[in-house]
Amino acid sequence: MSEPVSPDAGAGQTPVRLDEVDRKILSLLQIDASLSLDQIAERVGASKTPVWNRIRKLREAGVIRRQVAILDPDALGLEACFFVLIRTSEHDKDWAARFLRALRERPEVVEAHRLAGDIDYILKVQVKNARAYDRFYQSLIGEVKIHNVTALLSMEEIKASSALPIPDAGR
């Protein structure tokens, strides 16, 4: 069984109770976090101060982790997206710490997940081309022992979203 690779991996967190206004605010922010407070308040039918207080509370509760700009990989010349399936025969904490450090040091790893089942980890790696992926791969296996690696090239992105489904109060 694999060890968690992050300090809070698997940590259970009690879901925050959201009312309809909170859900509207979160939906708007997930679509466009650059909206002004005035725009958000107008769209949810509330005044600015209560909306600001709600956003502040959602941040403090950890519902809103951060606000970022989502970049177009093609515009940056990062046209190759690989999903990398990793099996390891190592499951001790030292290996996991080295593996986590190796992933965090590589900006081309845009997502990493520890899995249940036959595959231990899946990485999403965004690079310029196959040669750039091979450099990433050679560097990674030179740093940490990995039993098996399978790389799958994404031929077409069909759906990509950073927006999470926001549960209704009754769910």
Side-chain angles (χ1 to χ4, degrees):
M1 180 173 208
S2 300
E3 293 290 322
V5 293
S6 63
D8 57 346
Q13 186 175 0
T14 304
V16 175
R17 289 190 183 270
L18 305 173
D19 65 17
E20 188 59 30
V21 175
D22 291 330
R23 287 192 294 282
K24 285 180 183 177
I25 290 169
L26 291 172
S27 292
L28 289 168
L29 288 174
Q30 285 193 110
I31 293 166
D32 185 357
S34 71
L35 289 172
S36 71
L37 196 52
D38 287 326
Q39 291 171 311
I40 296 169
E42 180 183 324
R43 293 182 190 182
V44 301
S47 61
K48 218 160 78 168
T49 301
V51 168
W52 168 246
N53 285 331
R54 285 173 179 266
I55 292 171
R56 182 182 50 78
K57 287 178 183 174
L58 290 165
R59 281 189 183 115
E60 289 171 358
V63 174
I64 300 173
R65 287 187 192 171
R66 61 186 180 196
Q67 291 177 247
V68 300
I70 298 174
L71 308 180
D72 183 337
D74 291 336
L76 296 171
L78 302 171
E79 297 176 0
C81 176
F82 287 87
F83 291 91
V84 182
L85 309 176
I86 294 177
R87 286 189 188 139
T88 181
S89 57
E90 307 289 321
H91 297 286
D92 61 81
K93 288 185 181 194
D94 290 337
W95 182 91
R98 286 193 320 277
F99 183 65
L100 177 60
R101 186 173 45 255
L103 297 183
R104 288 187 174 160
E105 290 173 354
R106 289 172 170 78
E108 59 270 43
V109 177
V110 295
E111 284 189 47
H113 300 267
R114 188 170 61 91
L115 305 175
D118 292 337
I119 304 297
D120 294 304
Y121 299 92
I122 185 169
L123 312 179
K124 181 178 178 183
V125 177
Q126 193 78 46
V127 291
K128 182 176 181 169
N129 53 34
R131 271 192 294 271
Y133 170 75
D134 189 51
R135 284 190 297 274
F136 159 79
Y137 167 76
Q138 295 297 331
S139 173
L140 182 64
I141 64 169
E143 196 168 330
V144 290
K145 182 179 176 186
I146 296 174
H147 175 69
N148 182 277
V149 176
T150 301
L152 306 168
L153 173 64
S154 172
M155 299 298 288
E156 176 185 17
E157 183 179 89
I158 296 170
K159 179 182 178 182
S161 176
S162 61
L164 296 174
I166 302 169
D168 291 334
R171 286 191 208 173

